[in-house]
Amino acid sequence: MRFAQLWRGLRVARPPLPPEFSRPGHGEFEDVAEHYDRLMSTVPYRRWVDYVEALLRRHQRQPRRVLDLACGTGRVGAELIGRGYEAVGLDLSEPMVRYCSSQYPPLPSAVMDARSLALAPESVDLVVSLYDSLNYILEPEGLLGCFQGTYVGLADNGILIFDLNTELALRAGLFTQNNLRSREPLKYSWKSYWYPDRRLCRIDMWFCWEGPGGPKEFEEVHYERAYPNAQVEQMLATAGFSEFSTYNGYTFDRPTSESDRVFYVALT
Ligand SMILES: C[S@@+](CC[C@H](N)C(=O)[O-])C[C@H]1O[C@@H](n2cnc3c(N)ncnc32)[C@H](O)[C@@H]1O
């Protein structure tokens, strides 16, 4: 084991929070972008999209035009295009968005901040945002702005589907993990810290690419915010959504205190 890896494993003290959380600026989804799809190679995106389609059937929506919001490298949007939808992706990270065109099928995409969306009114039927992307919005006013912009962009009979990590997940150190014993060319060691007073989880991420051109080390610091269910529903109502439902991740069951991921469905 390299010294740097060992040191990562030993570090336990909680680092201080930076004074401000204005975005962008924590180096999130920059260096990691070129490795993201490899890192997510075991993520069952196809099954996630099956679940999204099951939610659409349950809520009797048949969208054609889809926005994959905070699309990252575009895996969800590309899967939707493959199933016959007209999808586009938006994400804050230019390095992530760059990979949308290499998906199969490619996902048309652009850089945009979800907190201040500029969507043409009634231009999409479904907005989908998966993999706790909206937890990355750290200020409640930013999440409200996201819902308001989404509402404007959705047509009549539109639907918003997104998932959030719960406080339980962020408190329990979901992100503290490493693959240092694997044979993967991209090694990582992550440590997460929970700040209850700010409802924030800070994740210190260390990576080392040991494939061609390596070794190359890099670090990113990510933050996610935990939003109580009541606050999310209040914001959805303020944004104009008339009806919303919550589900324990990938089921049709109600979320419980044990839920680590909650899906939200909001209707226009
Ligand atoms: C965990 S990744 C998930 C990406 C993608 N949804 C997926 O399922 O693979 C979170 C994504 O949220 C994006 N993101 C974070 N804050 C954002 C914001 N304010 N506006 C748009 N995208 C944002 C990041 O750039 C990143 O691509």
Side-chain angles (χ1 to χ4, degrees):
M1 187 181 284
R2 297 156 60 87
F3 173 74
Q5 291 172 351
L6 182 64
W7 182 78
R8 296 282 143 199
L10 289 175
R11 196 164 63 168
V12 289
R14 250 180 4 161
L17 284 166
E20 293 299 332
F21 290 101
S22 59
R23 304 281 294 262
H26 308 301
E28 288 171 1
F29 300 101
E30 288 180 8
D31 289 343
V32 79
E34 68 175 294
H35 304 289
Y36 186 82
D37 285 351
R38 175 191 293 278
L39 208 55
M40 300 303 155
S41 59
T42 57
V43 171
Y45 281 107
R46 226 171 269 153
R47 290 222 306 274
W48 288 3
V49 174
D50 290 344
Y51 178 61
V52 167
E53 288 194 307
L55 290 172
L56 292 174
R57 286 191 293 277
R58 186 177 173 85
H59 291 274
Q60 298 170 339
R61 292 294 193 268
Q62 293 176 315
R64 180 172 55 84
R65 301 161 301 169
V66 182
L67 168 62
D68 180 1
L69 183 59
C71 61
T73 56
R75 296 286 300 278
V76 170
E79 178 66 26
L80 287 164
I81 290 179
R83 297 184 189 203
Y85 298 87
E86 289 170 20
V88 294
L90 293 175
D91 196 282
L92 184 61
S93 162
E94 194 275 327
M96 291 289 272
V97 157
R98 218 181 284 155
Y99 291 91
C100 291
S101 57
S102 338
Q103 299 299 346
Y104 184 78
L107 177 71
S109 62
V111 174
M112 197 180 283
D113 190 333
R115 298 171 304 177
S116 49
L117 288 171
L119 304 180
E122 305 195 16
S123 54
V124 288
D125 307 306
L126 162 66
V127 175
V128 63
S129 187
L130 298 192
Y131 218 178
D132 45 271
S133 295
L134 298 189
N135 287 101
Y136 278 84
I137 296 180
L138 304 181
E139 325 78 2
E141 30 324 338
L143 189 57
L144 175 61
C146 171
F147 294 155
Q148 286 169 327
T150 301
Y151 187 81
V152 169
L154 279 168
D156 276 352
N157 289 318
I159 178 166
L160 165 65
I161 299 177
F162 63 96
D163 67 275
L164 289 177
N165 275 330
T166 63
E167 178 182 331
L168 175 72
L170 299 183
R171 214 176 352 110
L174 178 84
F175 286 104
T176 296
Q177 48 179 278
N178 70 69
N179 72 347
L180 300 180
R181 289 173 189 274
S182 79
R183 290 175 181 273
E184 289 296 320
L186 183 69
K187 298 287 191 300
Y188 65 85
S189 180
W190 301 347
K191 197 145 192 62
S192 74
Y193 307 88
W194 171 244
Y195 298 84
D197 46 332
R198 308 282 290 270
R199 306 190 59 80
L200 286 176
C201 176
R202 169 179 170 143
I203 310 129
D204 287 0
M205 298 181 160
W206 172 89
F207 299 90
C208 185
W209 170 248
E210 294 175 347
K216 182 185 161 222
E217 290 185 35
F218 58 94
E219 298 185 26
E220 295 198 357
V221 180
H222 290 207
Y223 291 92
E224 291 201 9
R225 180 173 178 127
Y227 288 95
N229 187 34
Q231 188 181 17
V232 176
E233 293 195 350
Q234 178 60 55
M235 285 194 254
L236 288 168
T238 304
F241 289 95
S242 56
E243 229 185 289
F244 19 86
S245 314
T246 51
Y247 298 100
N248 187 27
Y250 313 109
T251 73
F252 289 155
D253 301 332
R254 296 277 303 153
T256 69
S257 56
E258 308 286 296
S259 300
D260 55 12
R261 183 176 300 275
V262 170
F263 268 76
Y264 290 82
V265 175
L267 307 178
T268 58

